[in-house]
Amino acid sequence: MTDEPAAGALRDERLIEQRSAAATLSAFWNRLKGGELGNLPVIVGLLVICTVFYLIEPRFLSSYNLVSIARFAAPTGLISLGIVLVLLVGEIDLSVGSVSGFTAATMAVLVVREGQSMVLGVLAGVAVGSAIGLGFGLLRTRIGVPSFVFSLAGLLAFQGALFFVLGDKGTVTLPNDSWLVQFAKFGYLADSTAYLLVVVIVAIYVGTGLLGRARRQRAGLPNSWLPLFVAKAVVLGGGLLFLTYYLHIDRGWPKVWALFALLVVLVDLVLRRTRWGRHVYALGGNEEAARRSGIKVNRMYVSVFVLCSSFAALGGLMAAGVLGSVSQNSGTNGLELTAIAAAVIGGASLFGGRGTAYAAMLGIVVLQSIESGLNQVNVDSSVRFMTTGAVLLVAVMVDSISRRARASSGRA
């Protein structure tokens, strides 16, 4: 008799019918107590950051500043998206900054000095990134070199390769009329396109949600409270519509941010809806269990490292487009640490197996907001580094505490 309450407390909330607001709140509270925090900490942190900087400098939340934050955050966000994937399988890649700079330099030299087309230059840059990822994957699976070691070696080696490719001049300026610069630096969504995308996003959310509810009903599984689902759709649609209206007071949504957001959504769907995505989580949760269950572990590692380096290359190319040039500073100055910090702050666990693609988006928005806010109040760059380090430490502490709570509640 005494074991019944404990067994009830461990019951999966996804198997409990939520027919009222009280039942929904109770399930939410039980998840929090069990360490299932989701994106709540980073959302609360972002609200606090925005409130504090707005009270100090109201221009922080101006449409001009928000558009600038989105434009400069997107390239690093793309790099962080690849970092999320390697973190999910319990690995790390310290070379993403150097890889992004080296691949951007490869593109710039091909286009400007060799006279090749921008399309060929971009494809060559991404191909070089994919080849680097393939080499990393083979080092991990065929030779057994730890990812920390070969990616640290890659950080140094590809930084040297960046200097070698750029040569004595050190900087390559991209033509302003090239489509990459026009897309990344000067490209903004038209009003009609932006509002149409909002409608499409909400329609996809509602459609996939209703489809999922129908599948659970056919399988005899309970669904979440329907009014809560409707409220989420209304908040999502209303929030995106207001944000679109507000940003279009200035220049509107940057195209480079739209590309980043599209890739985040695609990666999230792949992680949640495909066998490959489920295998990524299984591998990060327990490698030996994944191997015994028939998952091709080596192939998974190789594919994840290829994607990580490819996203690093794409991020480097977009950064070159935003800045309009590639220099010996491209991909350096701690870019790899910023990308890793963004993934962790956004909710990806350093211990593997937990996190979503949206961690890259949330994390980079937090970091870019901090940088923008501190710049606006004329704070020295040393304070910016210390603040970023403190936020990263808090994120890891929250992850460790929630991990301990999940273990003690039997959810780990």
Side-chain angles (χ1 to χ4, degrees):
M1 294 292 289
T2 55
D3 293 339
E4 289 182 1
L10 293 176
R11 190 178 174 190
D12 193 336
E13 285 85 3
R14 293 170 298 183
L15 302 179
I16 300 175
E17 186 74 40
Q18 297 170 13
R19 296 179 178 276
S20 65
T24 302
L25 286 174
S26 176
F28 176 69
W29 178 243
N30 286 334
R31 284 199 298 273
L32 290 183
K33 288 195 299 182
E36 298 285 353
L37 303 179
N39 293 323
L40 185 62
V42 66
I43 292 174
V44 171
L46 186 59
L47 291 175
V48 171
I49 290 168
C50 291
T51 303
V52 169
F53 282 125
Y54 176 73
L55 293 176
I56 299 174
E57 175 54 73
R59 288 182 304 164
F60 175 77
L61 288 182
S62 66
S63 57
Y64 175 83
N65 193 50
L66 295 184
V67 170
S68 298
I69 287 175
R71 187 159 66 94
F72 287 105
T76 309
L78 285 168
I79 300 173
S80 185
L81 186 57
I83 289 294
V84 169
L85 294 177
V86 294
L87 289 180
L88 284 178
V89 297
E91 300 291 335
I92 193 68
D93 188 344
L94 299 174
S95 70
V96 287
S98 297
V99 170
S100 70
F102 171 58
T103 53
T106 303
M107 175 275 298
V109 169
L110 279 175
V111 172
V112 177
R113 296 182 184 171
E114 302 298 327
Q116 302 296 326
S117 68
M118 182 59 78
V119 173
L120 180 62
V122 169
L123 290 177
V126 175
V128 169
S130 301
I132 292 171
L134 177 62
F136 283 170
L138 294 177
L139 284 173
R140 170 65 176 80
T141 57
R142 299 298 176 86
I143 304 179
V145 181
S147 58
F148 178 85
V149 176
F150 64 66
S151 64
L152 180 60
L155 184 154
L156 300 172
F158 293 117
Q159 190 167 344
L162 166 68
F163 296 160
F164 177 78
V165 170
L166 291 178
D168 297 335
K169 295 183 179 178
T171 300
V172 178
T173 302
L174 299 176
N176 269 341
D177 59 351
S178 65
W179 66 262
L180 179 61
V181 176
Q182 289 294 318
F183 175 85
K185 189 174 185 178
F186 302 114
Y188 297 93
L189 295 180
D191 290 17
S192 56
T193 305
Y195 285 113
L196 179 61
L197 283 177
V198 170
V199 173
V200 171
I201 291 170
V202 175
I204 291 175
Y205 176 79
V206 172
T208 55
L210 291 177
L211 186 62
R213 295 178 69 87
R215 286 177 175 170
R216 290 182 65 86
Q217 191 170 8
R218 284 198 300 271
L221 297 172
N223 273 308
S224 60
W225 193 39
L226 182 59
L228 178 63
F229 170 72
V230 175
K232 287 181 177 178
V234 171
V235 170
L236 175 65
L240 286 177
L241 283 174
F242 173 75
L243 199 53
T244 301
Y245 160 76
Y246 191 64
L247 294 184
H248 279 263
I249 293 176
D250 190 67
R251 291 156 289 176
W253 287 104
K255 288 184 178 178
V256 66
W257 176 265
L259 172 66
F260 171 50
L262 174 65
L263 290 174
V264 167
V265 172
L266 287 177
V267 172
D268 177 66
L269 288 174
V270 169
L271 286 174
R272 289 190 299 110
R273 302 289 183 181
T274 67
R275 178 182 297 179
W276 183 86
R278 291 189 287 273
H279 287 180
V280 166
Y281 283 107
L283 182 57
N286 189 315
E287 179 183 346
E288 187 57 31
R291 191 190 309 276
R292 290 176 181 272
S293 64
I295 294 175
K296 306 294 184 184
V297 170
N298 288 346
R299 291 183 186 177
M300 294 302 300
Y301 279 126
V302 171
S303 63
V304 166
F305 278 110
V306 168
L307 283 173
C308 179
S309 294
S310 299
F311 278 124
L314 185 59
L317 294 171
M318 291 301 118
V322 169
L323 298 175
S325 64
V326 180
S327 71
Q328 293 183 346
N329 290 325
S330 298
T332 58
N333 296 326
L335 178 61
E336 61 281 338
L337 299 181
T338 301
I340 295 171
V344 175
I345 290 171
S349 175
L350 285 169
F351 305 101
R354 300 190 71 84
T356 68
Y358 291 100
M361 180 179 287
L362 292 170
I364 197 59
V365 169
V366 167
L367 291 181
Q368 195 65 39
S369 298
I370 291 173
E371 181 173 355
S372 175
L374 293 178
N375 285 337
Q376 289 203 353
V377 296
N378 296 320
V379 172
D380 189 75
S381 60
S382 59
V383 177
R384 188 172 71 246
F385 283 119
M386 288 188 285
T387 304
T388 304
V391 172
L392 175 61
L393 179 61
V394 170
V396 176
M397 288 171 61
V398 170
D399 180 39
S400 298
I401 293 171
S402 63
R403 181 182 173 86
R404 189 181 304 169
R406 289 195 300 271
S408 62
S409 63
R411 295 167 183 258

